[in-house]
Amino acid sequence: MAEKYDVIVVGAGPAGSMAAMRAAEGGAKTLILEKHSLPRFKLCGGGIANWVVRHLDIPEEVLERQYKVLSFFTPPDYERHDINLGGLGYFGVYRDAFDYALTKLALGKGAELRENKHVDGVVREEGYVKGVTTRDGEKYLADVVIACDGAISTVAKACGMWDVWFRRKGETWKDQMCFCVGAEVRLGEKVIDERFGNTYMIFTGRDIAPMGYAWLFPKRENVSVGLGSMAKTLEKKPTYYLNHFMKSHPVASKLLEGGETVLLRGAWIPVRNAYKPSYDSGLLIAGDAAGMVSPITGEGVFYAVRAGMDAGVTAAEAVNTGDFSAGFLSKYQERWERSIGKFLDFQEQIFQNTVGKILSLEDEKEMDEQYERGFIEAFETFVSVIETYAQGKKELPKPAAQSKKDS
């Protein structure tokens, strides 16, 4: 006999754990279904915003390193360009420890967790999502299902949301995606302190990431190394670009010299825009599953945490009122548009006013020459605006439009 819950959350990442925490706080009988055993490694640079650390009281042992400077290296000379992060206070974490800390917050509020449960389908009745099925033949029923199952969201796809988001617009899922590949390189704390200190690094160049960037995020003992690029621009295997970056790049190869590669992974990340609608009858979608990722940095943890909270609050309200219709659950999208939509929107404006204008140039040579500068400009504008907002301004300034010539 199928088990029945008020709320089922699919995925124990940041969005899923926060959704479960808020739903359980609101009185809903809540279950998290996670396809892996926890804690589990996840490919990520691991830069976490100070807001998340401060508001969720993340344990000290989870915080590997604090970043105060962002350094850029661009071709052809790869001269260092530093951006002081001021009060932003990004922290470096490993996602296995970080995500597990969030999951334990949800369990502390009364949510239940089932590990090694690979959700492979949904239960639908009379237009409502009523539960999920798993690969091992189990069925779990709920009044609200919250899909937090990553970029390749089984739940969103099974519910027909991919048709709404992509196919009807003449696009495909892959049009929205970056593919990332990364490694952990062990150097030891002393060497990392000497070579990196409190700095994480971004590298551009078509030979390492045709339409994206590579990164070095130092932790205590290891450096998280990776790169991501729009999937359709990768002309070679992603591991080819990563090996070239680690072994042949004039700057990165020296910073990683003597290191031991201890882990290699790949992952899909959505980077174009958050998908709407992010709800249906009996269904809410949050985090990477709903495309909630910065179009400039590719960072998604902050947005997943905030959207997950909004989803959990809305799900609990639906349970308490007995209304699971799309109309009622649309409150979720109204919430996340207020909490994170403004951040995602202004980043999209910045992207379009910088990199976007460069990508629209007809001359490929001119586009290549200006891409690196436009990319840095996008990052600098992003950091400047966020820093201003963090200092107490209530409104995010609208980025000024620029001409193609200026871009």
Side-chain angles (χ1 to χ4, degrees):
M1 183 175 178
E3 295 184 67
K4 172 68 166 59
Y5 288 81
D6 295 326
V7 176
I8 287 177
V9 178
V10 182
S17 290
M18 292 297 93
M21 182 182 77
R22 287 290 190 247
E25 281 182 334
K29 183 182 179 184
T30 304
L31 174 67
I32 307 171
L33 296 175
E34 166 58 41
K35 67 179 179 180
H36 299 296
S37 294
L38 299 179
R40 51 90 183 99
F41 180 84
K42 183 176 179 62
L43 174 61
C44 183
I48 305 299
N50 186 43
W51 187 97
V52 175
V53 174
R54 186 174 69 253
H55 281 75
L56 298 179
D57 196 22
I58 302 301
E60 187 70 27
E61 62 269 20
V62 174
L63 307 176
E64 294 271 330
R65 188 171 292 265
Q66 185 173 13
Y67 306 128
K68 297 181 179 180
V69 178
L70 166 59
S71 293
F72 277 100
F73 298 85
T74 61
D77 299 323
Y78 295 104
E79 293 183 1
R80 181 167 175 160
H81 179 89
D82 288 345
I83 298 177
N84 193 314
L85 297 176
L88 295 181
Y90 279 87
F91 291 87
V93 303
Y94 278 117
R95 290 288 302 279
D96 51 358
F98 176 80
D99 288 12
Y100 195 39
L102 299 191
T103 301
K104 287 189 284 188
L105 290 177
L107 300 182
K109 296 297 183 180
E112 298 178 37
L113 169 69
R114 302 284 177 87
E115 300 171 84
N116 299 308
K117 298 298 181 182
H118 194 135
V119 171
D120 67 352
V122 298
V123 178
R124 303 196 74 170
E125 295 178 7
E126 299 179 348
Y128 282 72
V129 176
K130 291 289 187 176
V132 298
T133 59
T134 66
R135 188 172 287 178
D136 53 9
E138 296 176 324
K139 181 187 292 186
Y140 295 88
L141 302 179
D143 296 312
V144 180
V145 171
I146 307 179
C148 304
D149 49 343
I152 312 176
S153 175
T154 298
V155 175
K157 186 176 183 181
C159 292
M161 301 306 290
W162 282 22
D163 288 339
V164 175
W165 295 337
F166 312 130
R167 186 180 61 82
R168 295 179 189 175
K169 298 177 182 178
E171 298 179 334
T172 68
W173 170 83
K174 192 173 286 190
D175 289 330
Q176 308 287 328
M177 293 294 137
C178 264
F179 187 79
C180 299
V181 61
E184 293 298 318
V185 177
R186 181 167 296 149
L187 284 171
E189 187 169 3
K190 181 180 178 181
V191 173
I192 292 175
D193 286 343
E194 292 172 350
R195 297 181 185 179
F196 294 89
N198 59 9
T199 300
Y200 74 98
M201 301 175 178
I202 299 295
F203 300 78
T204 60
R206 297 186 66 83
D207 59 333
I208 56 174
M211 200 58 67
Y213 66 89
W215 65 80
L216 297 178
F217 279 79
K219 306 295 174 52
R220 287 196 188 100
E221 298 286 340
N222 301 343
V223 179
S224 297
V225 184
L227 60 88
S229 187
M230 292 300 296
K232 291 190 173 182
T233 67
L234 293 171
E235 298 176 351
K236 302 181 178 70
K237 290 183 177 180
T239 51
Y240 170 88
Y241 292 100
L242 184 64
N243 288 331
H244 173 72
F245 175 62
M246 293 172 62
K247 297 177 181 179
S248 303
H249 192 279
V251 177
S253 62
K254 291 181 174 59
L255 289 167
L256 299 173
E257 188 175 4
E260 175 191 5
T261 301
V262 295
L263 190 68
L264 180 68
R265 293 287 171 83
W268 294 96
I269 297 179
V271 292
R272 288 280 297 277
N273 52 262
Y275 312 143
K276 299 177 185 179
S278 53
Y279 61 89
D280 201 351
S281 296
L283 175 69
L284 301 174
I285 311 169
D288 283 11
M292 296 171 176
V293 175
S294 165
I296 296 175
T297 68
E299 193 272 325
V301 172
F302 170 77
Y303 309 104
V305 165
R306 297 295 299 269
M309 290 178 174
D310 292 336
V313 169
T314 307
E317 289 178 351
V319 170
N320 292 329
T321 60
D323 189 345
F324 312 108
S325 66
F328 186 89
L329 293 180
S330 68
K331 291 183 178 181
Y332 160 61
Q333 186 163 304
E334 294 173 3
R335 283 191 166 106
W336 74 251
E337 285 184 326
R338 290 194 300 269
S339 63
I340 64 172
K342 57 188 175 184
F343 295 102
L344 294 173
D345 287 347
F346 93 79
Q347 288 180 72
E348 176 63 20
Q349 291 173 346
I350 292 171
F351 183 88
Q352 292 301 334
N353 291 341
T354 54
V355 177
K357 287 187 177 295
I358 292 169
L359 296 181
S360 68
L361 294 173
E362 296 181 1
D363 189 319
E364 289 191 12
K365 183 178 179 181
E366 184 182 3
M367 182 175 70
D368 287 346
E369 291 174 347
Q370 295 194 32
Y371 175 72
E372 323 296 340
R373 186 158 60 86
F375 194 78
I376 291 177
E377 187 176 357
F379 261 88
E380 286 183 322
T381 306
F382 164 71
V383 170
S384 175
V385 172
I386 285 292
E387 174 67 8
T388 300
Y389 182 83
Q391 290 173 352
K393 294 197 69 173
K394 294 182 178 181
E395 298 297 328
L396 291 167
K398 185 175 181 179
Q402 300 162 18
S403 67
K404 289 184 179 181
K405 181 179 179 180
D406 293 337
S407 299

